[in-house]
Short mmCIF file of all heavy atoms in Angstrom, two decimals:
data_model
loop_
_atom_site.label_atom_id
_atom_site.label_comp_id
_atom_site.label_asym_id
_atom_site.label_seq_id
_atom_site.Cartn_x
_atom_site.Cartn_y
_atom_site.Cartn_z
N MET A 1 -2.80 -9.22 3.53
CA MET A 1 -2.32 -8.08 2.75
C MET A 1 -3.09 -6.84 3.21
O MET A 1 -4.27 -6.92 3.49
CB MET A 1 -2.57 -8.38 1.28
CG MET A 1 -2.00 -7.37 0.33
SD MET A 1 -0.20 -7.17 0.32
CE MET A 1 0.38 -8.83 0.14
N ASP A 2 -2.37 -5.74 3.28
CA ASP A 2 -3.04 -4.49 3.65
C ASP A 2 -2.63 -3.38 2.70
O ASP A 2 -1.68 -3.52 1.92
CB ASP A 2 -2.77 -4.12 5.11
CG ASP A 2 -1.29 -3.93 5.39
OD1 ASP A 2 -0.59 -3.30 4.58
OD2 ASP A 2 -0.83 -4.42 6.44
N THR A 3 -3.35 -2.27 2.77
CA THR A 3 -3.12 -1.17 1.82
C THR A 3 -1.71 -0.59 1.93
O THR A 3 -1.11 -0.25 0.92
CB THR A 3 -4.16 -0.05 2.02
OG1 THR A 3 -4.12 0.40 3.37
CG2 THR A 3 -5.55 -0.54 1.68
N SER A 4 -1.17 -0.50 3.13
CA SER A 4 0.16 0.08 3.28
C SER A 4 1.22 -0.81 2.64
O SER A 4 2.19 -0.30 2.06
CB SER A 4 0.49 0.37 4.74
OG SER A 4 0.52 -0.80 5.50
N THR A 5 1.07 -2.12 2.72
CA THR A 5 2.01 -3.04 2.08
C THR A 5 1.96 -2.88 0.57
O THR A 5 3.00 -2.78 -0.09
CB THR A 5 1.72 -4.50 2.48
OG1 THR A 5 1.82 -4.62 3.89
CG2 THR A 5 2.68 -5.46 1.81
N VAL A 6 0.75 -2.85 0.01
CA VAL A 6 0.60 -2.67 -1.43
C VAL A 6 1.19 -1.33 -1.85
O VAL A 6 1.95 -1.25 -2.83
CB VAL A 6 -0.89 -2.78 -1.86
CG1 VAL A 6 -1.05 -2.48 -3.34
CG2 VAL A 6 -1.44 -4.16 -1.53
N GLN A 7 0.89 -0.28 -1.12
CA GLN A 7 1.42 1.04 -1.43
C GLN A 7 2.94 1.04 -1.39
O GLN A 7 3.59 1.58 -2.28
CB GLN A 7 0.85 2.07 -0.46
CG GLN A 7 1.31 3.48 -0.77
CD GLN A 7 0.53 4.52 0.02
OE1 GLN A 7 -0.61 4.30 0.40
NE2 GLN A 7 1.15 5.65 0.27
N ASN A 8 3.52 0.45 -0.37
CA ASN A 8 4.98 0.41 -0.23
C ASN A 8 5.63 -0.36 -1.37
O ASN A 8 6.68 0.04 -1.87
CB ASN A 8 5.39 -0.18 1.12
CG ASN A 8 5.10 0.75 2.26
OD1 ASN A 8 5.01 1.96 2.09
ND2 ASN A 8 4.94 0.19 3.45
N LEU A 9 5.04 -1.47 -1.79
CA LEU A 9 5.60 -2.26 -2.88
C LEU A 9 5.60 -1.47 -4.19
O LEU A 9 6.59 -1.48 -4.94
CB LEU A 9 4.82 -3.57 -3.06
CG LEU A 9 5.04 -4.61 -1.97
CD1 LEU A 9 4.02 -5.73 -2.09
CD2 LEU A 9 6.46 -5.17 -2.05
N ILE A 10 4.49 -0.80 -4.47
CA ILE A 10 4.43 0.02 -5.68
C ILE A 10 5.44 1.16 -5.59
O ILE A 10 6.18 1.42 -6.55
CB ILE A 10 3.01 0.57 -5.91
CG1 ILE A 10 2.02 -0.57 -6.17
CG2 ILE A 10 3.01 1.55 -7.09
CD1 ILE A 10 0.56 -0.15 -6.18
N GLN A 11 5.53 1.80 -4.43
CA GLN A 11 6.45 2.91 -4.24
C GLN A 11 7.90 2.47 -4.40
O GLN A 11 8.71 3.18 -5.00
CB GLN A 11 6.24 3.52 -2.85
CG GLN A 11 6.88 4.87 -2.68
CD GLN A 11 6.14 5.95 -3.42
OE1 GLN A 11 5.00 6.23 -3.12
NE2 GLN A 11 6.79 6.56 -4.39
N GLN A 12 8.24 1.29 -3.90
CA GLN A 12 9.60 0.78 -4.03
C GLN A 12 9.95 0.50 -5.49
O GLN A 12 11.06 0.76 -5.94
CB GLN A 12 9.78 -0.51 -3.22
CG GLN A 12 9.83 -0.28 -1.74
CD GLN A 12 9.83 -1.58 -0.94
OE1 GLN A 12 9.96 -2.66 -1.50
NE2 GLN A 12 9.66 -1.47 0.36
N GLY A 13 8.97 -0.03 -6.23
CA GLY A 13 9.21 -0.34 -7.64
C GLY A 13 9.17 0.87 -8.55
O GLY A 13 9.74 0.85 -9.64
N MET A 14 8.48 1.92 -8.10
CA MET A 14 8.36 3.16 -8.87
C MET A 14 8.65 4.33 -7.93
O MET A 14 7.72 5.04 -7.51
CB MET A 14 6.96 3.27 -9.48
CG MET A 14 6.60 2.14 -10.40
SD MET A 14 4.98 2.37 -11.17
CE MET A 14 5.37 3.70 -12.32
N PRO A 15 9.91 4.54 -7.56
CA PRO A 15 10.23 5.53 -6.53
C PRO A 15 9.84 6.97 -6.87
O PRO A 15 9.68 7.79 -5.97
CB PRO A 15 11.75 5.42 -6.36
CG PRO A 15 12.22 4.43 -7.33
CD PRO A 15 11.06 3.83 -8.04
N ASP A 16 9.65 7.27 -8.15
CA ASP A 16 9.27 8.63 -8.54
C ASP A 16 7.77 8.86 -8.48
O ASP A 16 7.30 9.96 -8.73
CB ASP A 16 9.77 8.92 -9.96
CG ASP A 16 9.10 8.04 -11.00
OD1 ASP A 16 8.55 6.98 -10.64
OD2 ASP A 16 9.12 8.42 -12.19
N ALA A 17 7.00 7.83 -8.15
CA ALA A 17 5.54 7.90 -8.20
C ALA A 17 4.94 8.39 -6.88
O ALA A 17 5.52 8.20 -5.81
CB ALA A 17 4.96 6.54 -8.53
N LYS A 18 3.77 9.00 -7.01
CA LYS A 18 2.92 9.29 -5.86
C LYS A 18 1.85 8.21 -5.87
O LYS A 18 1.19 8.00 -6.90
CB LYS A 18 2.30 10.67 -5.96
CG LYS A 18 3.31 11.79 -5.87
CD LYS A 18 2.66 13.13 -5.95
CE LYS A 18 3.72 14.22 -5.92
NZ LYS A 18 3.15 15.54 -6.14
N VAL A 19 1.67 7.51 -4.76
CA VAL A 19 0.80 6.34 -4.72
C VAL A 19 -0.20 6.46 -3.59
O VAL A 19 0.16 6.78 -2.46
CB VAL A 19 1.64 5.05 -4.53
CG1 VAL A 19 0.76 3.82 -4.54
CG2 VAL A 19 2.75 4.95 -5.57
N GLU A 20 -1.47 6.19 -3.91
CA GLU A 20 -2.53 6.09 -2.90
C GLU A 20 -3.23 4.76 -3.13
O GLU A 20 -3.60 4.45 -4.25
CB GLU A 20 -3.56 7.20 -3.06
CG GLU A 20 -3.06 8.59 -2.78
CD GLU A 20 -4.13 9.64 -3.01
OE1 GLU A 20 -5.34 9.29 -2.99
OE2 GLU A 20 -3.76 10.80 -3.22
N VAL A 21 -3.40 3.99 -2.07
CA VAL A 21 -4.06 2.68 -2.18
C VAL A 21 -5.17 2.59 -1.15
O VAL A 21 -4.99 2.97 0.01
CB VAL A 21 -3.05 1.52 -1.97
CG1 VAL A 21 -3.76 0.17 -2.04
CG2 VAL A 21 -1.93 1.58 -3.00
N HIS A 22 -6.32 2.08 -1.59
CA HIS A 22 -7.46 1.84 -0.71
C HIS A 22 -7.91 0.39 -0.93
O HIS A 22 -7.78 -0.14 -2.02
CB HIS A 22 -8.61 2.79 -1.04
CG HIS A 22 -8.20 4.22 -0.97
ND1 HIS A 22 -8.10 4.91 0.21
CD2 HIS A 22 -7.85 5.10 -1.94
CE1 HIS A 22 -7.69 6.14 -0.03
NE2 HIS A 22 -7.54 6.28 -1.34
N GLY A 23 -8.43 -0.23 0.11
CA GLY A 23 -8.92 -1.59 0.00
C GLY A 23 -9.26 -2.15 1.36
O GLY A 23 -8.44 -2.84 1.97
N PRO A 24 -10.45 -1.89 1.84
CA PRO A 24 -10.81 -2.26 3.21
C PRO A 24 -10.90 -3.76 3.47
O PRO A 24 -10.79 -4.18 4.62
CB PRO A 24 -12.16 -1.59 3.42
CG PRO A 24 -12.73 -1.41 2.06
CD PRO A 24 -11.54 -1.20 1.16
N ASP A 25 -11.07 -4.59 2.42
CA ASP A 25 -11.25 -6.02 2.70
C ASP A 25 -9.96 -6.83 2.64
O ASP A 25 -9.95 -8.02 2.93
CB ASP A 25 -12.30 -6.63 1.76
CG ASP A 25 -11.86 -6.68 0.31
OD1 ASP A 25 -10.72 -6.27 -0.01
OD2 ASP A 25 -12.68 -7.12 -0.53
N GLY A 26 -8.84 -6.21 2.25
CA GLY A 26 -7.55 -6.90 2.26
C GLY A 26 -7.27 -7.78 1.06
O GLY A 26 -6.21 -8.40 1.01
N VAL A 27 -8.17 -7.86 0.10
CA VAL A 27 -7.91 -8.65 -1.12
C VAL A 27 -8.26 -7.88 -2.39
O VAL A 27 -7.74 -8.18 -3.46
CB VAL A 27 -8.64 -10.01 -1.14
CG1 VAL A 27 -8.05 -10.95 -0.09
CG2 VAL A 27 -10.13 -9.86 -0.94
N HIS A 28 -9.16 -6.91 -2.29
CA HIS A 28 -9.54 -6.07 -3.43
C HIS A 28 -9.02 -4.65 -3.14
O HIS A 28 -9.34 -4.09 -2.10
CB HIS A 28 -11.05 -6.03 -3.61
CG HIS A 28 -11.64 -7.38 -3.86
ND1 HIS A 28 -12.10 -8.19 -2.84
CD2 HIS A 28 -11.83 -8.06 -5.02
CE1 HIS A 28 -12.56 -9.31 -3.36
NE2 HIS A 28 -12.40 -9.26 -4.68
N PHE A 29 -8.24 -4.12 -4.07
CA PHE A 29 -7.61 -2.83 -3.84
C PHE A 29 -7.86 -1.88 -5.01
O PHE A 29 -8.07 -2.31 -6.14
CB PHE A 29 -6.09 -3.00 -3.67
CG PHE A 29 -5.73 -3.83 -2.48
CD1 PHE A 29 -5.52 -5.20 -2.62
CD2 PHE A 29 -5.60 -3.27 -1.22
CE1 PHE A 29 -5.20 -5.98 -1.53
CE2 PHE A 29 -5.28 -4.05 -0.13
CZ PHE A 29 -5.08 -5.41 -0.27
N GLU A 30 -7.83 -0.59 -4.69
CA GLU A 30 -7.89 0.47 -5.69
C GLU A 30 -6.65 1.32 -5.48
O GLU A 30 -6.33 1.67 -4.34
CB GLU A 30 -9.13 1.33 -5.51
CG GLU A 30 -10.42 0.60 -5.72
CD GLU A 30 -11.63 1.50 -5.46
OE1 GLU A 30 -11.45 2.72 -5.28
OE2 GLU A 30 -12.74 0.96 -5.44
N ALA A 31 -5.96 1.65 -6.58
CA ALA A 31 -4.75 2.46 -6.45
C ALA A 31 -4.76 3.60 -7.46
O ALA A 31 -5.18 3.44 -8.60
CB ALA A 31 -3.51 1.60 -6.68
N LEU A 32 -4.29 4.74 -7.00
CA LEU A 32 -4.02 5.88 -7.85
C LEU A 32 -2.50 6.02 -7.87
O LEU A 32 -1.87 6.15 -6.82
CB LEU A 32 -4.65 7.16 -7.30
CG LEU A 32 -4.19 8.46 -7.97
CD1 LEU A 32 -4.57 8.49 -9.44
CD2 LEU A 32 -4.76 9.66 -7.24
N VAL A 33 -1.93 5.93 -9.07
CA VAL A 33 -0.48 6.03 -9.22
C VAL A 33 -0.19 7.17 -10.20
O VAL A 33 -0.64 7.13 -11.34
CB VAL A 33 0.14 4.71 -9.72
CG1 VAL A 33 1.65 4.81 -9.79
CG2 VAL A 33 -0.28 3.54 -8.83
N VAL A 34 0.55 8.16 -9.72
CA VAL A 34 0.91 9.31 -10.56
C VAL A 34 2.42 9.28 -10.74
O VAL A 34 3.17 9.33 -9.75
CB VAL A 34 0.47 10.63 -9.89
CG1 VAL A 34 0.88 11.82 -10.75
CG2 VAL A 34 -1.04 10.64 -9.63
N SER A 35 2.85 9.17 -12.00
CA SER A 35 4.28 9.05 -12.27
C SER A 35 4.65 9.69 -13.60
O SER A 35 3.95 9.49 -14.59
CB SER A 35 4.69 7.58 -12.29
OG SER A 35 6.03 7.44 -12.70
N PRO A 36 5.79 10.39 -13.64
CA PRO A 36 6.27 10.91 -14.92
C PRO A 36 6.67 9.79 -15.88
O PRO A 36 6.72 9.98 -17.08
CB PRO A 36 7.46 11.79 -14.54
CG PRO A 36 7.84 11.40 -13.16
CD PRO A 36 6.62 10.81 -12.52
N ALA A 37 6.93 8.60 -15.35
CA ALA A 37 7.31 7.45 -16.19
C ALA A 37 6.17 7.01 -17.11
O ALA A 37 6.40 6.28 -18.08
CB ALA A 37 7.76 6.29 -15.32
N PHE A 38 4.94 7.44 -16.83
CA PHE A 38 3.79 7.07 -17.66
C PHE A 38 3.67 7.91 -18.93
O PHE A 38 2.86 7.59 -19.80
CB PHE A 38 2.50 7.19 -16.86
CG PHE A 38 2.37 6.23 -15.71
CD1 PHE A 38 1.69 6.62 -14.56
CD2 PHE A 38 2.89 4.96 -15.76
CE1 PHE A 38 1.53 5.75 -13.50
CE2 PHE A 38 2.75 4.08 -14.69
CZ PHE A 38 2.07 4.48 -13.56
N ALA A 39 4.44 8.97 -19.04
CA ALA A 39 4.34 9.87 -20.20
C ALA A 39 4.54 9.09 -21.50
O ALA A 39 5.49 8.31 -21.64
CB ALA A 39 5.36 10.99 -20.10
N GLY A 40 3.61 9.27 -22.43
CA GLY A 40 3.69 8.65 -23.73
C GLY A 40 3.29 7.19 -23.78
O GLY A 40 3.40 6.55 -24.82
N LYS A 41 2.84 6.64 -22.65
CA LYS A 41 2.47 5.22 -22.60
C LYS A 41 0.94 5.07 -22.58
O LYS A 41 0.24 5.87 -21.99
CB LYS A 41 3.07 4.56 -21.37
CG LYS A 41 4.60 4.49 -21.45
CD LYS A 41 5.15 3.69 -20.32
CE LYS A 41 6.63 3.41 -20.42
NZ LYS A 41 7.47 4.46 -20.91
N LEU A 42 0.48 4.02 -23.24
CA LEU A 42 -0.95 3.70 -23.23
C LEU A 42 -1.33 3.12 -21.87
O LEU A 42 -0.47 2.62 -21.13
CB LEU A 42 -1.26 2.70 -24.34
CG LEU A 42 -1.04 3.20 -25.77
CD1 LEU A 42 -1.20 2.06 -26.76
CD2 LEU A 42 -1.99 4.34 -26.08
N PRO A 43 -2.63 3.15 -21.53
CA PRO A 43 -3.06 2.64 -20.23
C PRO A 43 -2.59 1.22 -19.93
O PRO A 43 -2.17 0.94 -18.80
CB PRO A 43 -4.58 2.72 -20.30
CG PRO A 43 -4.83 3.86 -21.23
CD PRO A 43 -3.73 3.78 -22.27
N LEU A 44 -2.63 0.32 -20.89
CA LEU A 44 -2.22 -1.06 -20.63
C LEU A 44 -0.75 -1.13 -20.23
O LEU A 44 -0.38 -1.86 -19.29
CB LEU A 44 -2.48 -1.94 -21.85
CG LEU A 44 -2.17 -3.43 -21.68
CD1 LEU A 44 -2.97 -4.02 -20.53
CD2 LEU A 44 -2.45 -4.17 -22.97
N ALA A 45 0.10 -0.37 -20.90
CA ALA A 45 1.52 -0.34 -20.55
C ALA A 45 1.73 0.24 -19.15
O ALA A 45 2.57 -0.26 -18.38
CB ALA A 45 2.30 0.46 -21.58
N ARG A 46 0.96 1.24 -18.80
CA ARG A 46 1.05 1.84 -17.47
C ARG A 46 0.67 0.81 -16.41
O ARG A 46 1.33 0.69 -15.38
CB ARG A 46 0.13 3.06 -17.36
CG ARG A 46 0.54 4.21 -18.26
CD ARG A 46 -0.48 5.33 -18.18
NE ARG A 46 -0.14 6.45 -19.03
CZ ARG A 46 -0.67 7.66 -18.91
NH1 ARG A 46 -1.60 7.90 -17.99
NH2 ARG A 46 -0.30 8.63 -19.72
N HIS A 47 -0.42 0.09 -16.66
CA HIS A 47 -0.87 -0.92 -15.70
C HIS A 47 0.16 -2.02 -15.54
O HIS A 47 0.42 -2.48 -14.42
CB HIS A 47 -2.22 -1.48 -16.13
CG HIS A 47 -3.33 -0.50 -15.98
ND1 HIS A 47 -4.67 -0.87 -15.98
CD2 HIS A 47 -3.35 0.85 -15.83
CE1 HIS A 47 -5.42 0.21 -15.83
NE2 HIS A 47 -4.64 1.26 -15.74
N ARG A 48 0.76 -2.44 -16.63
CA ARG A 48 1.80 -3.47 -16.56
C ARG A 48 2.98 -3.02 -15.72
O ARG A 48 3.58 -3.82 -15.00
CB ARG A 48 2.26 -3.86 -17.96
CG ARG A 48 1.26 -4.71 -18.70
CD ARG A 48 1.76 -5.11 -20.07
NE ARG A 48 0.79 -5.97 -20.73
CZ ARG A 48 0.67 -6.06 -22.04
NH1 ARG A 48 1.48 -5.37 -22.84
NH2 ARG A 48 -0.22 -6.86 -22.57
N MET A 49 3.32 -1.75 -15.81
CA MET A 49 4.41 -1.21 -15.00
C MET A 49 4.09 -1.35 -13.51
O MET A 49 4.95 -1.72 -12.71
CB MET A 49 4.66 0.26 -15.35
CG MET A 49 5.25 0.47 -16.72
SD MET A 49 5.29 2.22 -17.20
CE MET A 49 6.49 2.88 -16.04
N VAL A 50 2.84 -1.05 -13.15
CA VAL A 50 2.44 -1.16 -11.74
C VAL A 50 2.37 -2.63 -11.32
O VAL A 50 2.88 -3.00 -10.26
CB VAL A 50 1.09 -0.44 -11.49
CG1 VAL A 50 0.64 -0.64 -10.05
CG2 VAL A 50 1.20 1.04 -11.82
N TYR A 51 1.76 -3.47 -12.15
CA TYR A 51 1.68 -4.90 -11.83
C TYR A 51 3.06 -5.50 -11.61
O TYR A 51 3.24 -6.37 -10.75
CB TYR A 51 0.96 -5.68 -12.93
CG TYR A 51 -0.52 -5.37 -13.08
CD1 TYR A 51 -1.12 -5.44 -14.33
CD2 TYR A 51 -1.31 -5.02 -12.00
CE1 TYR A 51 -2.48 -5.16 -14.49
CE2 TYR A 51 -2.66 -4.74 -12.15
CZ TYR A 51 -3.23 -4.82 -13.40
OH TYR A 51 -4.56 -4.54 -13.56
N ALA A 52 4.04 -5.05 -12.36
CA ALA A 52 5.40 -5.58 -12.24
C ALA A 52 5.97 -5.32 -10.85
O ALA A 52 6.79 -6.11 -10.35
CB ALA A 52 6.30 -4.98 -13.31
N THR A 53 5.55 -4.25 -10.19
CA THR A 53 6.05 -3.96 -8.85
C THR A 53 5.47 -4.92 -7.81
O THR A 53 6.03 -5.06 -6.73
CB THR A 53 5.71 -2.51 -8.42
OG1 THR A 53 4.29 -2.38 -8.24
CG2 THR A 53 6.23 -1.50 -9.42
N LEU A 54 4.39 -5.58 -8.15
CA LEU A 54 3.71 -6.47 -7.19
C LEU A 54 4.01 -7.94 -7.44
O LEU A 54 3.73 -8.78 -6.59
CB LEU A 54 2.20 -6.21 -7.24
CG LEU A 54 1.81 -4.78 -6.90
CD1 LEU A 54 0.34 -4.54 -7.20
CD2 LEU A 54 2.11 -4.47 -5.45
N GLY A 55 4.53 -8.26 -8.61
CA GLY A 55 4.98 -9.61 -8.91
C GLY A 55 3.94 -10.68 -8.66
O GLY A 55 2.79 -10.56 -9.07
N GLU A 56 4.36 -11.72 -7.97
CA GLU A 56 3.52 -12.91 -7.74
C GLU A 56 2.34 -12.66 -6.81
O GLU A 56 1.45 -13.51 -6.71
CB GLU A 56 4.38 -14.05 -7.19
CG GLU A 56 5.42 -14.54 -8.17
CD GLU A 56 6.29 -15.64 -7.59
OE1 GLU A 56 6.00 -16.12 -6.47
OE2 GLU A 56 7.24 -16.02 -8.27
N LEU A 57 2.32 -11.52 -6.14
CA LEU A 57 1.18 -11.22 -5.26
C LEU A 57 -0.10 -11.03 -6.06
O LEU A 57 -1.20 -11.27 -5.55
CB LEU A 57 1.47 -9.97 -4.43
CG LEU A 57 2.61 -10.09 -3.42
CD1 LEU A 57 2.88 -8.75 -2.78
CD2 LEU A 57 2.27 -11.13 -2.37
N MET A 58 0.05 -10.57 -7.32
CA MET A 58 -1.14 -10.38 -8.17
C MET A 58 -1.78 -11.73 -8.46
O MET A 58 -1.11 -12.67 -8.87
CB MET A 58 -0.76 -9.70 -9.49
CG MET A 58 -0.45 -8.23 -9.36
SD MET A 58 -1.79 -7.26 -8.63
CE MET A 58 -3.15 -7.62 -9.71
N GLY A 59 -3.07 -11.80 -8.23
CA GLY A 59 -3.80 -13.05 -8.44
C GLY A 59 -3.71 -14.00 -7.27
O GLY A 59 -4.36 -15.03 -7.26
N GLY A 60 -2.88 -13.66 -6.29
CA GLY A 60 -2.75 -14.47 -5.09
C GLY A 60 -3.24 -13.69 -3.90
O GLY A 60 -4.44 -13.55 -3.67
N ALA A 61 -2.29 -13.13 -3.16
CA ALA A 61 -2.63 -12.32 -1.98
C ALA A 61 -3.45 -11.08 -2.38
O ALA A 61 -4.28 -10.61 -1.62
CB ALA A 61 -1.37 -11.91 -1.23
N ILE A 62 -3.18 -10.57 -3.58
CA ILE A 62 -3.96 -9.46 -4.12
C ILE A 62 -4.88 -10.04 -5.17
O ILE A 62 -4.46 -10.37 -6.28
CB ILE A 62 -3.05 -8.38 -4.74
CG1 ILE A 62 -2.08 -7.84 -3.69
CG2 ILE A 62 -3.89 -7.26 -5.35
CD1 ILE A 62 -1.01 -6.94 -4.26
N HIS A 63 -6.14 -10.21 -4.81
CA HIS A 63 -7.10 -10.83 -5.72
C HIS A 63 -7.46 -9.89 -6.87
O HIS A 63 -7.57 -10.32 -8.01
CB HIS A 63 -8.36 -11.24 -4.96
CG HIS A 63 -9.40 -11.86 -5.82
ND1 HIS A 63 -9.25 -13.12 -6.35
CD2 HIS A 63 -10.59 -11.39 -6.28
CE1 HIS A 63 -10.32 -13.39 -7.10
NE2 HIS A 63 -11.14 -12.36 -7.06
N ALA A 64 -7.62 -8.61 -6.59
CA ALA A 64 -8.00 -7.64 -7.62
C ALA A 64 -7.40 -6.29 -7.30
O ALA A 64 -7.34 -5.88 -6.14
CB ALA A 64 -9.52 -7.53 -7.71
N LEU A 65 -6.95 -5.61 -8.36
CA LEU A 65 -6.39 -4.28 -8.21
C LEU A 65 -6.94 -3.40 -9.32
O LEU A 65 -6.69 -3.63 -10.50
CB LEU A 65 -4.86 -4.32 -8.30
CG LEU A 65 -4.13 -2.99 -8.25
CD1 LEU A 65 -4.36 -2.30 -6.90
CD2 LEU A 65 -2.64 -3.19 -8.50
N SER A 66 -7.72 -2.40 -8.93
CA SER A 66 -8.24 -1.42 -9.86
C SER A 66 -7.26 -0.26 -9.89
O SER A 66 -6.91 0.29 -8.84
CB SER A 66 -9.62 -0.94 -9.40
OG SER A 66 -10.06 0.14 -10.18
N LEU A 67 -6.79 0.09 -11.10
CA LEU A 67 -5.76 1.11 -11.21
C LEU A 67 -6.24 2.35 -11.93
O LEU A 67 -6.98 2.27 -12.91
CB LEU A 67 -4.57 0.56 -12.01
CG LEU A 67 -3.69 -0.46 -11.32
CD1 LEU A 67 -2.66 -1.00 -12.30
CD2 LEU A 67 -3.00 0.17 -10.12
N ARG A 68 -5.78 3.47 -11.44
CA ARG A 68 -5.90 4.75 -12.14
C ARG A 68 -4.47 5.25 -12.24
O ARG A 68 -3.82 5.51 -11.22
CB ARG A 68 -6.77 5.72 -11.36
CG ARG A 68 -7.02 6.99 -12.12
CD ARG A 68 -8.21 7.74 -11.52
NE ARG A 68 -8.39 8.98 -12.26
CZ ARG A 68 -8.53 10.16 -11.70
NH1 ARG A 68 -8.57 10.27 -10.39
NH2 ARG A 68 -8.67 11.23 -12.45
N THR A 69 -3.95 5.34 -13.46
CA THR A 69 -2.56 5.70 -13.68
C THR A 69 -2.50 7.00 -14.47
O THR A 69 -3.06 7.10 -15.56
CB THR A 69 -1.81 4.59 -14.43
OG1 THR A 69 -2.53 4.26 -15.63
CG2 THR A 69 -1.69 3.33 -13.58
N LEU A 70 -1.81 7.99 -13.91
CA LEU A 70 -1.75 9.32 -14.51
C LEU A 70 -0.34 9.86 -14.51
O LEU A 70 0.46 9.53 -13.61
CB LEU A 70 -2.63 10.30 -13.73
CG LEU A 70 -4.10 9.96 -13.55
CD1 LEU A 70 -4.74 10.91 -12.55
CD2 LEU A 70 -4.83 10.00 -14.88
N THR A 71 -0.03 10.73 -15.48
CA THR A 71 1.19 11.52 -15.41
C THR A 71 0.91 12.68 -14.45
O THR A 71 -0.25 12.99 -14.17
CB THR A 71 1.59 12.07 -16.79
OG1 THR A 71 0.57 12.99 -17.21
CG2 THR A 71 1.77 10.95 -17.81
N PRO A 72 1.95 13.33 -13.96
CA PRO A 72 1.71 14.50 -13.09
C PRO A 72 0.87 15.57 -13.80
O PRO A 72 0.03 16.22 -13.16
CB PRO A 72 3.11 15.00 -12.78
CG PRO A 72 3.97 13.78 -12.87
CD PRO A 72 3.37 12.97 -14.00
N GLU A 73 1.07 15.76 -15.09
CA GLU A 73 0.31 16.76 -15.84
C GLU A 73 -1.16 16.37 -15.90
O GLU A 73 -2.05 17.23 -15.75
CB GLU A 73 0.88 16.90 -17.26
CG GLU A 73 2.29 17.47 -17.31
CD GLU A 73 3.39 16.46 -16.96
OE1 GLU A 73 3.14 15.23 -16.99
OE2 GLU A 73 4.50 16.90 -16.64
N GLU A 74 -1.45 15.10 -16.14
CA GLU A 74 -2.84 14.63 -16.17
C GLU A 74 -3.49 14.80 -14.81
O GLU A 74 -4.65 15.19 -14.71
CB GLU A 74 -2.89 13.17 -16.62
CG GLU A 74 -2.52 12.96 -18.06
CD GLU A 74 -2.26 11.50 -18.41
OE1 GLU A 74 -2.04 10.67 -17.50
OE2 GLU A 74 -2.25 11.20 -19.62
N ALA A 75 -2.75 14.50 -13.76
CA ALA A 75 -3.29 14.63 -12.39
C ALA A 75 -3.58 16.10 -12.07
O ALA A 75 -4.58 16.40 -11.42
CB ALA A 75 -2.30 14.05 -11.39
N ALA A 76 -2.73 17.00 -12.53
CA ALA A 76 -2.93 18.42 -12.26
C ALA A 76 -4.18 18.96 -12.97
O ALA A 76 -4.83 19.88 -12.46
CB ALA A 76 -1.70 19.22 -12.71
N ARG A 77 -4.51 18.38 -14.10
CA ARG A 77 -5.71 18.80 -14.84
C ARG A 77 -6.99 18.30 -14.19
O ARG A 77 -8.08 18.75 -14.51
CB ARG A 77 -5.67 18.32 -16.29
CG ARG A 77 -4.66 19.06 -17.14
CD ARG A 77 -4.87 18.78 -18.61
NE ARG A 77 -4.67 17.39 -18.98
CZ ARG A 77 -3.60 16.90 -19.58
NH1 ARG A 77 -2.60 17.70 -19.90
NH2 ARG A 77 -3.52 15.63 -19.89
N GLY A 78 -6.84 17.29 -13.31
CA GLY A 78 -8.01 16.76 -12.62
C GLY A 78 -8.52 15.58 -13.29
O GLY A 78 -9.49 15.00 -13.21
#
């Protein structure tokens, strides 16, 4: 597994999102996902939305994924 594959999977599942993924070891990844779909949702719901794009890879090929999920407004505030 590589960062571009993880990024592409999230992007395909959330086409309106801006996605950045880092993970030099190929099993532990960090992702920043900015999407208007997160508006009004709690962090756990946001994370579930991202996990759903990765399906069975979570816990398998992707051992760990650290997420930062923001709306575009939250991202603009820094």
Side-chain angles (χ1 to χ4, degrees):
M1 186 62 51
D2 60 43
T3 56
S4 63
T5 301
V6 175
Q7 183 169 333
N8 289 336
L9 288 168
I10 296 170
Q11 195 73 64
Q12 287 173 9
M14 301 183 72
D16 65 340
K18 293 181 183 174
V19 183
E20 293 178 21
V21 178
H22 304 280
D25 68 1
V27 291
H28 300 92
F29 298 93
E30 296 178 8
L32 168 63
V33 183
V34 179
S35 173
F38 294 147
K41 293 187 172 38
L42 296 172
L44 183 59
R46 295 176 180 196
H47 290 197
R48 286 182 178 153
M49 291 171 68
V50 176
Y51 292 148
T53 68
L54 300 170
E56 295 178 7
L57 295 174
M58 286 304 304
I62 301 171
H63 179 72
L65 176 64
S66 172
L67 288 174
R68 185 163 179 229
T69 53
L70 304 170
T71 65
E73 294 78 18
E74 291 166 343
R77 288 193 297 257

